[in-house]
Amino acid sequence: MTIKCFSVEYNKMNERAAFSPGDTLSGRVIVEARKETKVQCLMVKAKGKAEVKWYDQDGQTSTLHQEKKKYFHLEIIILQDKNKCDGSEIIGQGRNVYPFTFVIPNIDMPSSYEGQWGRIAYSLNAKLTLSIWSIHKRKIEFPFLTKSDFPFASKSEMIILGLQEQQSATKMSFYGSGKVTLNVTSERTGLRQGETMQVSVEVLNSATHAVTPKFYFCEKQTFVAQSKTIVHINEILFGTGESVQAQTKRTIRNVLSIPSQLLPTFFNCSLMKLEHTIKVTLGDHMARDPDIKLPLVILLGSSKLHHKKAKESPETWK
């Protein structure tokens, strides 16, 4: 009970309060002791890793699918008892502050992410060992942003220009009483966090009953472990058009607004990826193949990201 408080902190370095490859991550370990205390070791680690985990259930049998990928693992030993008896392994009574600095490797790494069955996390881990019976641990995660504005493809001019161009697709849905033709158009393929754009659908209803188009924003999370893949899809309704009567034609428009805190599209992680699409559907069980989809790339916005407040906890040292 000689240690009253043990914590680890980091210094925010920019308006996004996030770090990127090549950045310097500095902070401090704070130890508050009730009396002068000898320690065996005080160390801090900076880590970046991706992890995927899910279970497949087949009757009474449950199969675990799990995979991890380490991006970096850096370690600094602040104090260590090497039997020198020079006082370097002594923590004084009261509040003691031990600064540290890491340089994050300048390599391609994905941004922080938490999905249905996987996450990409970057953290600081502090460990204070007094004896084999007395060990204190603390962990705090820090937000991380990839350096690439386009973490899904090369930064060629063709890619950049292509994201600004209008896109459209046409599909016919067949009923027993006729057919309905949908022509969906979006203002561009790439959209930044916090931006809006117009999505329109031209409906040519040659059937004998009215149809009503609906607009969805779709998020597709894909996770890979041990050569197995699992997918989670989330669909958000952002507009319902007016009914298009039989034997008529109408163009219906809706505005898609991307929240500033929505996670961008990414493909630069081997264990998981995040994709987005716009879906327009008639939502009619009588129709065959009633949906039409357009790809959408969500890009990092210019506004500040909304990160959850970091929580410090006595995590297991791994």
Side-chain angles (χ1 to χ4, degrees):
M1 301 297 292
T2 58
I3 303 301
K4 184 178 180 181
C5 178
F6 180 56
S7 63
V8 59
E9 302 173 352
Y10 65 87
N11 300 320
K12 295 180 181 180
M13 63 171 296
N14 53 43
E15 63 175 11
R16 289 186 183 276
F19 296 84
S20 295
D23 284 348
T24 298
L25 171 63
S26 61
R28 65 206 63 84
V29 176
I30 301 172
V31 185
E32 190 171 346
R34 290 185 171 87
K35 63 179 182 179
E36 189 175 275
T37 304
K38 185 174 182 179
V39 303
Q40 289 186 0
C41 186
L42 172 60
M43 66 168 61
V44 60
K45 298 180 181 180
K47 298 194 287 186
K49 68 177 182 178
E51 182 175 10
V52 169
K53 180 180 180 181
W54 78 88
Y55 290 90
D56 280 341
Q57 196 72 33
D58 184 10
Q60 298 297 317
T61 304
S62 182
T63 303
L64 171 64
H65 299 283
Q66 186 174 21
E67 196 93 29
K68 295 181 181 180
K69 180 178 178 60
K70 185 185 296 182
Y71 292 108
F72 63 86
H73 185 126
L74 308 174
E75 179 180 305
I76 293 176
I77 296 177
I78 299 174
L79 297 175
Q80 188 171 31
D81 181 6
K82 296 182 179 179
N83 298 318
K84 291 182 178 180
C85 299
D86 59 1
S88 62
E89 70 281 5
I90 299 297
I91 292 178
Q93 181 181 3
R95 188 173 188 267
N96 300 267
V97 179
Y98 301 95
F100 60 82
T101 299
F102 292 103
V103 178
I104 299 174
N106 193 10
I107 57 176
D108 181 33
M109 293 179 282
S111 299
S112 302
Y113 173 71
E114 184 156 1
Q116 185 72 12
W117 293 292
R119 66 195 309 259
I120 303 167
Y122 299 85
S123 63
L124 285 169
N125 303 259
K127 180 181 179 182
L128 173 63
T129 303
L130 303 182
S131 68
I132 59 174
W133 301 281
S134 182
I135 300 175
H136 301 264
K137 304 171 187 176
R138 290 294 182 269
K139 174 181 176 180
I140 187 170
E141 294 186 358
F142 58 90
F144 186 85
L145 287 175
T146 181
K147 264 189 173 179
S148 174
D149 288 332
F150 305 96
F152 52 87
S154 64
K155 291 186 178 181
S156 69
E157 287 297 319
M158 291 299 293
I159 292 292
I160 297 172
L161 292 174
L163 294 177
Q164 301 301 317
E165 292 181 353
Q166 186 184 81
Q167 63 171 336
S168 62
T170 302
K171 178 177 285 187
M172 289 185 290
S173 296
F174 293 92
Y175 296 78
S177 60
K179 67 179 182 180
V180 178
T181 302
L182 301 178
N183 182 26
V184 180
T185 303
S186 66
E187 290 181 327
R188 55 191 184 275
T189 306
L191 202 60
R192 292 192 178 275
Q193 295 167 314
E195 290 186 336
T196 61
M197 76 171 178
Q198 183 174 269
V199 181
S200 63
V201 55
E202 182 184 63
V203 183
L204 177 58
N205 186 4
S206 300
T208 58
H209 67 283
V211 295
T212 303
K214 293 183 178 181
F215 298 78
Y216 289 88
F217 172 75
C218 305
E219 177 188 79
K220 180 181 178 182
Q221 303 175 21
T222 303
F223 305 90
V224 180
Q226 300 166 343
S227 301
K228 300 292 184 180
T229 300
I230 190 170
V231 174
H232 174 73
I233 296 178
N234 183 35
E235 296 185 348
I236 301 172
L237 179 69
F238 71 89
T240 299
E242 298 178 7
S243 294
V244 181
Q245 300 303 312
Q247 306 301 315
T248 62
K249 177 180 177 181
R250 170 176 287 181
T251 298
I252 299 168
R253 298 177 176 85
N254 264 290
V255 174
L256 172 63
S257 179
I258 302 300
S260 58
Q261 69 272 21
L262 186 76
L263 293 172
T265 304
F266 72 86
F267 284 81
N268 61 339
C269 177
S270 60
L271 302 186
M272 65 195 84
K273 62 182 178 180
L274 180 64
E275 303 168 85
H276 299 93
T277 56
I278 299 168
K279 184 177 84 170
V280 178
T281 178
L282 297 177
D284 195 323
H285 67 279
M286 297 175 60
R288 287 186 301 167
D289 200 18
D291 302 338
I292 187 167
K293 295 181 180 180
L294 293 177
L296 179 65
V297 175
I298 305 302
L299 304 170
L300 187 66
S302 57
S303 59
K304 294 182 180 179
L305 291 180
H306 301 280
H307 293 288
K308 293 179 181 179
K309 185 178 180 181
K311 293 183 179 180
E312 189 178 83
S313 57
E315 296 287 341
T316 302
W317 186 259
K318 296 181 180 179

